[in-house]
Amino acid sequence: MAADAFADPGDDGTGWQPEAYALPRLAAVDNLADALNGRGLSEGAVAALARAAVQPEDMRRKLADVNRLRVQGGTLHMVETRLWSASVVPHPANPREYGRRSYALGGGTGGDVPRLLPEPTSAPGERPELWLQVARADDLAQRLNEAEERLVRENPLADDISIEGVLQPLTVVPLTVHHEAGGVGPTSLLIAADGSSRISAVHGLLGLAPAVIAYQWGRDVRTFRREVNRWLRLVQKQGWESLSPSERGKVRVLTVPARVVVGYAPDARAGVRFHTAVRNFIGLTHIRPPKPYGAATEHEAKGDAVLDSLAEAVRSRRARITPQEKRWFAGVTTEEEAADEGFSPHRDVRAMEIVRGLLGGGSGTARRVNEGIRSLTAQQRPKRDERVDIAVELVLRPVRTEKADLQPYVRPRRAVLQRAYRLPETADLPAEAPLEGSPGGRSLEDLRDAALKEAAQGLGVGDLKLGPAQTELAVKAAYYMVTAEPMALQTEGSGAARSEDSRSTVGVLRAMLARQQGVNQAYEVVRAGRAGRPLLEVDENGAPVRTASGVHRELTDALVRHTYKGEVLATASSGLPAARARWATVTASLDVLRQAVKDMEAVPVDDGAGMTVVAREGWEAEEITKARSLIDRIDRRLASWSETYRGNQPQADGLEAEDLW
């Protein structure tokens, strides 16, 4: 990144003047390395930390009495000191980008989205450092540069930092990178686990590229020291007062305050590994105040923590999901890889498995999910709604990637899925049931037939809950009804629901799956959704419904709410249910009239192509007058109904009805 990407801050002489540091002697660096060797760190991590210390003697003394910071699951051992800015890089998997990541399962291949790397894990041997495996050095180098550019663009801190330097310490953790190809050996880095935005702003001011820090200066101590000494000698030669505002800004950020993690002690009973403890610390810093990530991003971060909790055996409890399921749920596997591992290619099956994995299985699953949430938030009693929201965010990962996180598309669908998956029956889904879509499970037709039997028994009516087959079909159909365009399931208070139907999304789903027609409708929705076809209305027996003009009727939220009211509308003879049924006939008749006029306009004068009859001849004025008179009488009658409706609505004090629009 070019240094001139940042404008001079216009130093007015009131900014911070840093201490005049000197390049440490190599003997002091070696002494610090000897002291660090007793902390259980790898040789590369020791060398990186010793080289990074601005005052090695000070850091060596503090190692004798480290600071201890409790996090969920253990205690981090830290030393507060100053590090050379040219020795620290941003976190390569910065959690701030969670809400913008491109996931392989959604076909994410780059573009203006964060490149996805594996999450760092704990180093072997319980060392207090992270471990990351990448395919090639170029992958990490490009990822570091992209991450820093994005952070600088989206969280610009350079102007403030160039005047006052970095005020709050960065939390720095050693990370060893292993490369699968390219002949590059292990590379030890110091990453800002908390403070990537700050170190990115510093690098921008100094004109440093994190890839150069990682792969050139990290292996060439002489070049690293020469770069640092270049600025130290400038201050010594010219004096502070003779420096330009831009030069002063660079000198202020030559060093950064840091809390360096040099040890870790897990709680004896928790068994939390080092990488989880580091992530817990990041979560406590960012997902909770002072700077929240935002609801969707928080749910994404919690989602990965929850998947960790479900995938790891804890004490006497075996893992709830397999490592392969964890990758599938997280969306980091491609569709081809998922198929090779035996997972269904259908998005509704994945949604159902996530719902079952995070919300089903009773209190045992709830405890595991809550443990993952607590690891980031220290929240003692996470509510079920929060577990639902996390599940929905995992479900939407491939959708968000395909839509490039297009908020006008994603935001309403997120809201509706969150409401739909609050269906209480999902908590009763068995943890190990052979669901439709899983190897050895039942077919979609078997699921429909089982749901029809449950509906025939009255499940879902009144106080009775939906049965497991009805619930599974509801979850799967809701996925396609919500992701459809236009949406065939919306929230209460939107569309037709605003004035006619205030039922919750859960209420609509339950009413739908409690009836034979609704079960058949849900089955057809899933079939059409998997095939990428429009969602069409079906009748009691599952046959597509045609209008009087012979066209299929596409499913909409208004149509779903109108059809599934909990009573059989076709047999109602009085009251609002009967009136709604008749109104459906009125609107269908208008469709017939519109199509009839269109068909008449298309009648040609001759059998071949050419001018139409009405275009050349028009039509008899007397007949047109009669038709228009009839339409006019209907129009006035409909207008009177509308005025009556408006008159029955509550008025705001001092305002006429028209003033409210």
Side-chain angles (χ1 to χ4, degrees), residues 70-81:
R70 276 276 299 122
V71 296
Q72 187 80 16
T75 302
L76 295 173
H77 296 174
M78 297 177 166
V79 169
E80 291 204 12
T81 188

Side-chain angles (χ1 to χ4, degrees), residues 11 34 99 122 188 197 228 233 256 258 290 316 404 414-415 445 449 464 470 546 661:
D11 190 347
D34 291 341
S122 301
S188 294
S197 295
V228 171
R233 289 174 62 84
V256 290
S316 61
R414 173 186 288 123
E445 288 70 27
D449 293 344
L464 295 178
Q470 290 169 298
R546 293 179 182 270
W661 294 89

Side-chain angles (χ1 to χ4, degrees), residues 175-412:
L175 168 72
T176 299
V177 182
H178 295 264
H179 310 85
E180 297 173 356
V184 179
T187 300
S188 294
L189 310 176
L190 301 181
I191 66 169
D194 169 44
S196 290
S197 295
R198 282 168 282 164
I199 196 63
S200 296
V202 166
H203 289 171
L205 289 164
L206 291 171
L208 304 178
V212 172
I213 295 173
Y215 286 108
Q216 294 184 29
W217 294 352
R219 299 172 183 274
D220 188 344
V221 177
R222 182 175 300 178
T223 301
F224 165 76
R225 288 172 62 87
R226 184 167 59 245
E227 175 65 23
V228 171
N229 202 37
R230 178 164 67 93
W231 291 103
L232 298 178
R233 289 174 62 84
L234 179 68
V235 179
Q236 295 169 358
K237 181 179 179 180
Q238 295 186 199
W240 178 259
E241 298 301 330
S242 299
L243 298 178
S244 69
S246 177
E247 289 170 338
R248 290 183 183 183
K250 290 176 170 59
V251 173
R252 289 185 180 114
V253 299
L254 194 60
T255 70
V256 290
R259 292 177 295 195
V260 182
V261 177
V262 295
Y264 172 63
D267 291 348
R269 297 185 60 190
V272 172
R273 300 178 67 196
F274 179 69
H275 75 279
T276 303
V278 171
R279 188 175 59 201
N280 293 350
F281 171 77
I282 298 172
L284 288 172
T285 303
H286 285 288
I287 293 180
R288 300 195 73 184
K291 189 175 181 60
Y293 288 152
T297 304
E298 288 179 18
H299 294 146
E300 277 240 73
K302 294 172 188 175
D304 278 336
V306 165
L307 294 182
D308 270 355
S309 177
L310 293 173
E312 292 189 11
V314 180
R315 297 186 293 278
S316 61
R317 290 180 295 170
R318 63 186 180 87
R320 174 72 174 77
I321 60 176
T322 66
Q324 292 78 18
E325 285 177 313
K326 175 183 172 182
R327 284 169 48 81
W328 188 42
F329 289 0
V332 299
T333 181
T334 65
E335 291 186 352
E336 292 76 14
E337 291 168 342
D340 290 343
E341 292 173 350
F343 296 118
S344 171
H346 304 308
R347 294 285 175 82
D348 64 288
V349 174
R350 176 176 174 271
M352 180 62 206
E353 287 293 290
I354 289 174
V355 168
R356 182 176 70 95
L358 273 68
L359 306 178
S363 59
T365 297
R367 283 195 297 270
R368 295 291 288 269
V369 174
N370 286 348
E371 286 173 5
I373 297 172
R374 280 195 296 270
S375 71
L376 290 186
T377 65
Q379 193 175 350
Q380 291 304 305
R381 293 182 178 83
K383 298 183 182 300
R384 184 175 185 276
D385 284 0
E386 186 165 7
R387 298 196 293 273
V388 172
D389 293 349
I390 292 169
V392 167
E393 213 59 45
L394 292 172
V395 167
L396 285 176
R397 280 183 172 183
V399 176
R400 279 195 5 254
T401 297
E402 290 170 343
K403 296 296 181 181
D405 207 13
L406 186 64
Q407 288 304 317
Y409 178 92
V410 175
R411 188 180 294 114

Side-chain angles (χ1 to χ4, degrees), residues 64-95:
D65 187 19
V66 297
N67 297 327
R68 289 171 169 79
L69 178 66
R70 276 276 299 122
V71 296
Q72 187 80 16
T75 302
L76 295 173
H77 296 174
M78 297 177 166
V79 169
E80 291 204 12
T81 188
R82 294 195 78 85
L83 302 180
W84 299 112
S85 303
S87 65
V88 182
V89 297
H91 195 318
N94 183 16

Side-chain angles (χ1 to χ4, degrees), residues 496 521 537 553-564:
Q521 181 69 77
E537 182 188 14
R553 187 150 52 193
E554 194 163 346
L555 211 59
T556 64
D557 177 70
L559 183 58
V560 170
R561 287 177 176 273
H562 167 79
T563 304
Y564 303 104

Side-chain angles (χ1 to χ4, degrees), residues 517-554:
Q517 182 179 355
V519 171
N520 283 323
Q521 181 69 77
Y523 165 76
E524 179 56 32
V525 163
V526 174
R527 284 208 320 145
R530 291 178 181 180
R533 294 186 279 104
L535 310 184
L536 303 178
E537 182 188 14
V538 300
D539 62 17
E540 189 78 11
N541 297 314
V545 173
R546 293 179 182 270
T547 65
S549 58
V551 299
H552 292 300
R553 187 150 52 193
E554 194 163 346

